Amino acid sequence: MAKQLGYHTIREIFTRFHEADPEPKGELEHVNAYTLVVAVALSAQATDAGVNKATRKLFQIADTPQKMLDLGIDSLTEHIKTIGLFRQKGKNVIKLSEILVRDYAGEVPNSRAALQGLPGVGRKTANVVLNMWWRHPAQAVDTHIFRLGNRTGIAPGKTVDAVERAIEDNVPADFQLHAHHWMILHGRYHCKARKPMCPTCIIRDLCPFEDKTV
């Protein structure tokens, strides 16, 4: 775990991220808030690419909670069977759809507490939905962000919650909205777990990671 970077260094890092990609986007395909919730819930322990492949046809026929209930668990399971833990995830999607229809008139709530009350929706999923759909500066910490936060000193922490708080505390306010997307993408494609691409990294000179690749 690297030591916490100073404010000016972190600002420079995110300035470079912004210059390289001013409007970073999440890679999960969706057409509305409901399909975003479903996609993120399905993405646990799965790749975004794998989820997108499974949901393209699904969301063409079931893009609302009621349509998903009309589709039914058996057909839903058939659509998502290539995704890890698909049986439990399918049950969660049906249950959360029932709750949305019953308690929220089929609409996705825009509060973290309400979102986390849905089956299969944890804090990370709730933060992704709040950020991507309602543009709240919520920080969804996945394995890429956890690694990057600790390697670089942007947001060191021993737990996911600690890293989330560190991002909220350390990243300048004007970069908060896109912070987790920049960090996910940099961690996924550059600061990889086994072979980080340090020679071509745009923040190499600012990063204190001791085991940089040559």
Side-chain angles (χ1 to χ4, degrees), residues 28-30 34-44 51-52 55 59:
L28 283 172
E29 297 173 7
H30 59 283
Y34 171 70
T35 54
L36 178 58
V37 171
V38 173
V40 181
L42 292 175
S43 72
V51 172
N52 290 339
T55 58
F59 291 159

Side-chain angles (χ1 to χ4, degrees), residues 60-212:
Q60 289 176 7
I61 58 176
D63 60 355
T64 70
Q66 188 59 58
K67 288 179 182 177
M68 191 68 75
L69 295 177
D70 293 341
L71 182 66
I73 185 66
D74 291 340
S75 293
L76 169 59
T77 300
E78 187 65 24
H79 275 90
I80 65 172
K81 64 183 180 181
T82 57
I83 300 174
L85 307 175
F86 69 95
R87 294 192 187 281
Q88 184 57 51
K89 289 177 180 178
K91 293 176 182 178
N92 286 337
V93 168
I94 293 297
K95 289 178 183 176
L96 72 84
S97 299
E98 290 173 346
I99 292 172
L100 291 175
V101 169
R102 184 188 70 219
D103 298 341
Y104 298 99
E107 299 294 325
V108 175
N110 65 350
S111 82
R112 182 182 287 115
L115 285 166
Q116 286 188 247
L118 300 174
V121 177
R123 185 178 181 89
K124 188 187 90 169
T125 297
N127 281 348
V128 171
V129 175
L130 290 171
N131 181 271
M132 289 181 63
W133 193 256
W134 283 288
R135 297 181 72 80
H136 292 184
Q139 308 303 332
V141 178
D142 70 351
T143 182
H144 300 299
I145 290 181
F146 187 83
R147 178 176 65 254
L148 185 69
N150 280 292
R151 267 187 185 169
T152 62
I154 292 172
K158 294 182 178 180
T159 67
V160 167
D161 288 346
V163 171
E164 180 183 332
R165 288 193 298 271
I167 296 171
E168 293 173 343
D169 291 343
N170 302 335
V171 175
D174 48 327
F175 294 122
Q176 284 277 331
L177 179 60
H178 294 314
H180 95 271
H181 277 135
W182 281 316
M183 293 180 74
I184 285 174
L185 294 172
H186 194 72
R188 181 177 292 164
Y189 296 113
H190 299 282
C191 195
K192 300 177 182 180
R194 294 183 180 178
K195 293 183 178 180
M197 300 169 66
C198 300
T200 58
C201 177
I202 62 173
I203 63 169
R204 177 187 172 93
D205 59 312
L206 303 173
C207 174
F209 181 50
E210 294 181 355
D211 298 322
K212 289 188 176 77

